[in-house]
């Protein structure tokens, strides 16, 4: 397997790309996790602000574990080419998540 330097997406400001280029691999992985969680949070906030019925978001689905708050949303993440569901919610300044299972149970 050959590796080449990644191309900067046009949506990423040059100043941000330069800052990221100075980070080590561990920091970059932490930034990636934070960015993914932030994107999920912003998408959920947008859905709520666009009039999605908040009562629907507050219902406790039958398949939701009791230790997951009713305000949690079901998010889908791709890891190593496989897709998984996670319950995700905010506690203060932190985004919390709990594994639910694969999108396709045969995976």
């Amino acid at each position: 397997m050959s590796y080449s330097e990644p191309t900067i997406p046009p949506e990423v400001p040059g100043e941000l790309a330069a800052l990221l280029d100075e980070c080590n691999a561990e920091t970059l992985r932490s930034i990636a996790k934070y960015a993914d969680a932030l994107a999920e949070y912003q998408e959920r906030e947008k859905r709520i602000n666009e009039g999605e019925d908040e009562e629907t978001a507050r219902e406790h689905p039958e398949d939701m574990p009791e230790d997951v708050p009713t305000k949690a949303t079901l998010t889908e993440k791709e890891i190593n080419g496989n897709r998984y569901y996670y319950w995700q919610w905010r506690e203060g300044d932190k985004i919390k998540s709990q594994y639910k299972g694969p999108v396709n149970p045969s995976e």
Side-chain angles (χ1 to χ4, degrees), residues 55-85:
E55 286 304 311
T56 302
R58 299 275 183 231
E59 292 174 8
H60 206 280
E62 288 181 24
D63 62 342
M64 182 183 279
E66 290 300 318
D67 59 337
V68 172
T70 56
K71 65 183 177 182
T73 58
L74 196 57
T75 58
E76 188 177 315
K77 296 190 182 278
E78 185 170 331
I79 302 170
N80 296 331
N82 297 307
R83 295 179 313 158
Y84 301 96
Y85 286 125

Side-chain angles (χ1 to χ4, degrees), residues 16-17 22 31 33 35 44 53 62 84-85 87 93 100:
L16 179 56
E22 295 175 10
I31 291 168
K33 287 179 186 175
R44 182 177 188 276
D53 183 7
E62 288 181 24
Y84 301 96
Y85 286 125
W87 294 107
D93 292 339
K100 179 179 188 252

